[in-house]
Short mmCIF file of all heavy atoms in Angstrom, two decimals:
data_model
loop_
_atom_site.label_atom_id
_atom_site.label_comp_id
_atom_site.label_asym_id
_atom_site.label_seq_id
_atom_site.Cartn_x
_atom_site.Cartn_y
_atom_site.Cartn_z
N LEU A 49 14.76 -18.78 -13.00
CA LEU A 49 13.44 -18.27 -12.63
C LEU A 49 12.42 -18.50 -13.74
O LEU A 49 11.27 -18.85 -13.46
CB LEU A 49 13.54 -16.78 -12.30
CG LEU A 49 14.30 -16.45 -11.01
CD1 LEU A 49 14.50 -14.94 -10.89
CD2 LEU A 49 13.58 -17.01 -9.79
N ARG A 50 12.82 -18.33 -14.99
CA ARG A 50 11.90 -18.59 -16.11
C ARG A 50 11.41 -20.04 -16.08
O ARG A 50 10.23 -20.31 -16.24
CB ARG A 50 12.60 -18.32 -17.44
CG ARG A 50 12.80 -16.87 -17.75
CD ARG A 50 13.60 -16.71 -19.04
NE ARG A 50 13.90 -15.32 -19.30
CZ ARG A 50 15.07 -14.87 -19.71
NH1 ARG A 50 16.07 -15.72 -19.93
NH2 ARG A 50 15.26 -13.59 -19.92
N ARG A 51 12.35 -20.95 -15.90
CA ARG A 51 11.99 -22.38 -15.87
C ARG A 51 11.11 -22.72 -14.68
O ARG A 51 10.13 -23.45 -14.80
CB ARG A 51 13.25 -23.24 -15.86
CG ARG A 51 13.97 -23.24 -17.18
CD ARG A 51 15.21 -24.07 -17.14
NE ARG A 51 15.91 -24.03 -18.43
CZ ARG A 51 17.16 -24.34 -18.60
NH1 ARG A 51 17.90 -24.73 -17.57
NH2 ARG A 51 17.71 -24.27 -19.79
N LYS A 52 11.47 -22.20 -13.52
CA LYS A 52 10.74 -22.53 -12.30
C LYS A 52 9.33 -21.93 -12.30
O LYS A 52 8.38 -22.58 -11.88
CB LYS A 52 11.51 -22.05 -11.08
CG LYS A 52 10.84 -22.39 -9.76
CD LYS A 52 11.78 -22.17 -8.61
CE LYS A 52 11.17 -22.59 -7.31
NZ LYS A 52 11.03 -24.03 -7.15
N LEU A 53 9.23 -20.70 -12.78
CA LEU A 53 7.96 -19.99 -12.69
C LEU A 53 7.14 -20.01 -13.96
O LEU A 53 5.96 -19.66 -13.95
CB LEU A 53 8.23 -18.53 -12.29
CG LEU A 53 9.00 -18.35 -10.97
CD1 LEU A 53 9.37 -16.89 -10.79
CD2 LEU A 53 8.19 -18.88 -9.80
N GLY A 54 7.77 -20.40 -15.07
CA GLY A 54 7.06 -20.43 -16.34
C GLY A 54 6.67 -19.04 -16.84
O GLY A 54 5.61 -18.87 -17.44
N LEU A 55 7.52 -18.06 -16.56
CA LEU A 55 7.23 -16.69 -16.95
C LEU A 55 8.21 -16.19 -18.00
O LEU A 55 9.34 -16.66 -18.06
CB LEU A 55 7.36 -15.76 -15.73
CG LEU A 55 6.36 -15.95 -14.61
CD1 LEU A 55 6.76 -15.09 -13.42
CD2 LEU A 55 4.96 -15.59 -15.08
N ARG A 56 7.77 -15.23 -18.78
CA ARG A 56 8.66 -14.53 -19.70
C ARG A 56 9.28 -13.38 -18.93
O ARG A 56 8.59 -12.43 -18.55
CB ARG A 56 7.89 -14.01 -20.91
CG ARG A 56 7.41 -15.12 -21.78
CD ARG A 56 6.77 -14.57 -23.03
NE ARG A 56 6.42 -15.69 -23.88
CZ ARG A 56 5.35 -15.73 -24.64
NH1 ARG A 56 4.53 -14.71 -24.67
NH2 ARG A 56 5.10 -16.78 -25.38
N LEU A 57 10.57 -13.46 -18.71
CA LEU A 57 11.29 -12.44 -17.97
C LEU A 57 12.36 -11.85 -18.87
O LEU A 57 13.29 -12.55 -19.26
CB LEU A 57 11.93 -13.04 -16.71
CG LEU A 57 10.99 -13.72 -15.73
CD1 LEU A 57 11.78 -14.41 -14.62
CD2 LEU A 57 10.00 -12.72 -15.16
N PRO A 58 12.26 -10.56 -19.20
CA PRO A 58 13.26 -9.96 -20.07
C PRO A 58 14.62 -9.86 -19.38
O PRO A 58 14.70 -9.66 -18.17
CB PRO A 58 12.69 -8.57 -20.36
CG PRO A 58 11.76 -8.29 -19.23
CD PRO A 58 11.22 -9.62 -18.79
N ASN A 59 15.68 -10.00 -20.16
CA ASN A 59 17.03 -9.92 -19.60
C ASN A 59 17.27 -8.58 -18.90
O ASN A 59 17.94 -8.53 -17.88
CB ASN A 59 18.08 -10.13 -20.69
CG ASN A 59 18.07 -11.54 -21.20
OD1 ASN A 59 17.66 -12.47 -20.51
ND2 ASN A 59 18.53 -11.72 -22.43
N ARG A 60 16.74 -7.53 -19.43
CA ARG A 60 16.94 -6.19 -18.86
C ARG A 60 16.38 -6.08 -17.44
O ARG A 60 16.82 -5.25 -16.65
CB ARG A 60 16.29 -5.16 -19.78
CG ARG A 60 16.48 -3.76 -19.36
CD ARG A 60 17.87 -3.28 -19.74
NE ARG A 60 18.17 -2.10 -18.95
CZ ARG A 60 19.36 -1.75 -18.56
NH1 ARG A 60 20.39 -2.46 -18.91
NH2 ARG A 60 19.54 -0.69 -17.83
N LEU A 61 15.41 -6.90 -17.12
CA LEU A 61 14.77 -6.86 -15.81
C LEU A 61 15.79 -6.92 -14.68
O LEU A 61 15.69 -6.19 -13.69
CB LEU A 61 13.79 -8.04 -15.70
CG LEU A 61 12.94 -8.11 -14.45
CD1 LEU A 61 11.89 -7.01 -14.49
CD2 LEU A 61 12.27 -9.46 -14.36
N PHE A 62 16.77 -7.76 -14.85
CA PHE A 62 17.77 -7.96 -13.80
C PHE A 62 18.57 -6.69 -13.54
O PHE A 62 18.87 -6.36 -12.39
CB PHE A 62 18.72 -9.09 -14.19
CG PHE A 62 19.33 -9.76 -13.02
CD1 PHE A 62 18.84 -10.96 -12.59
CD2 PHE A 62 20.38 -9.17 -12.34
CE1 PHE A 62 19.40 -11.59 -11.50
CE2 PHE A 62 20.95 -9.79 -11.24
CZ PHE A 62 20.45 -11.00 -10.82
N PHE A 63 18.89 -5.98 -14.58
CA PHE A 63 19.73 -4.79 -14.42
C PHE A 63 18.92 -3.58 -13.95
O PHE A 63 19.47 -2.66 -13.35
CB PHE A 63 20.49 -4.52 -15.71
CG PHE A 63 21.39 -5.67 -16.02
CD1 PHE A 63 21.02 -6.63 -16.96
CD2 PHE A 63 22.58 -5.86 -15.32
CE1 PHE A 63 21.83 -7.73 -17.21
CE2 PHE A 63 23.39 -6.96 -15.56
CZ PHE A 63 23.01 -7.89 -16.51
N ASP A 64 17.62 -3.60 -14.19
CA ASP A 64 16.75 -2.55 -13.67
C ASP A 64 16.37 -2.79 -12.21
O ASP A 64 15.94 -1.87 -11.52
CB ASP A 64 15.47 -2.45 -14.51
CG ASP A 64 15.74 -1.96 -15.92
OD1 ASP A 64 16.77 -1.30 -16.15
OD2 ASP A 64 14.90 -2.24 -16.80
N HIS A 65 16.51 -4.04 -11.76
CA HIS A 65 16.13 -4.44 -10.41
C HIS A 65 17.23 -5.33 -9.84
O HIS A 65 17.08 -6.55 -9.78
CB HIS A 65 14.79 -5.18 -10.45
CG HIS A 65 13.72 -4.42 -11.15
ND1 HIS A 65 13.05 -3.37 -10.57
CD2 HIS A 65 13.23 -4.52 -12.41
CE1 HIS A 65 12.19 -2.86 -11.42
NE2 HIS A 65 12.28 -3.55 -12.55
N PRO A 66 18.35 -4.74 -9.39
CA PRO A 66 19.56 -5.51 -9.09
C PRO A 66 19.64 -6.18 -7.72
O PRO A 66 20.64 -6.82 -7.43
CB PRO A 66 20.66 -4.45 -9.23
CG PRO A 66 20.01 -3.19 -8.81
CD PRO A 66 18.60 -3.30 -9.34
N THR A 67 18.62 -6.05 -6.89
CA THR A 67 18.68 -6.71 -5.58
C THR A 67 17.62 -7.81 -5.53
O THR A 67 16.68 -7.83 -6.33
CB THR A 67 18.42 -5.72 -4.43
OG1 THR A 67 17.05 -5.28 -4.47
CG2 THR A 67 19.36 -4.53 -4.48
N VAL A 68 17.77 -8.72 -4.59
CA VAL A 68 16.78 -9.79 -4.42
C VAL A 68 15.40 -9.16 -4.21
O VAL A 68 14.42 -9.55 -4.85
CB VAL A 68 17.14 -10.70 -3.23
CG1 VAL A 68 15.98 -11.62 -2.87
CG2 VAL A 68 18.39 -11.52 -3.53
#
Side-chain angles (χ1 to χ4, degrees):
L49 291 172
R50 287 175 185 137
R51 288 179 181 161
K52 182 167 184 71
L53 303 172
L55 294 172
R56 292 186 175 144
L57 302 173
N59 291 335
R60 183 79 198 149
L61 185 72
F62 206 101
F63 298 100
D64 292 338
H65 307 283
T67 69
V68 168

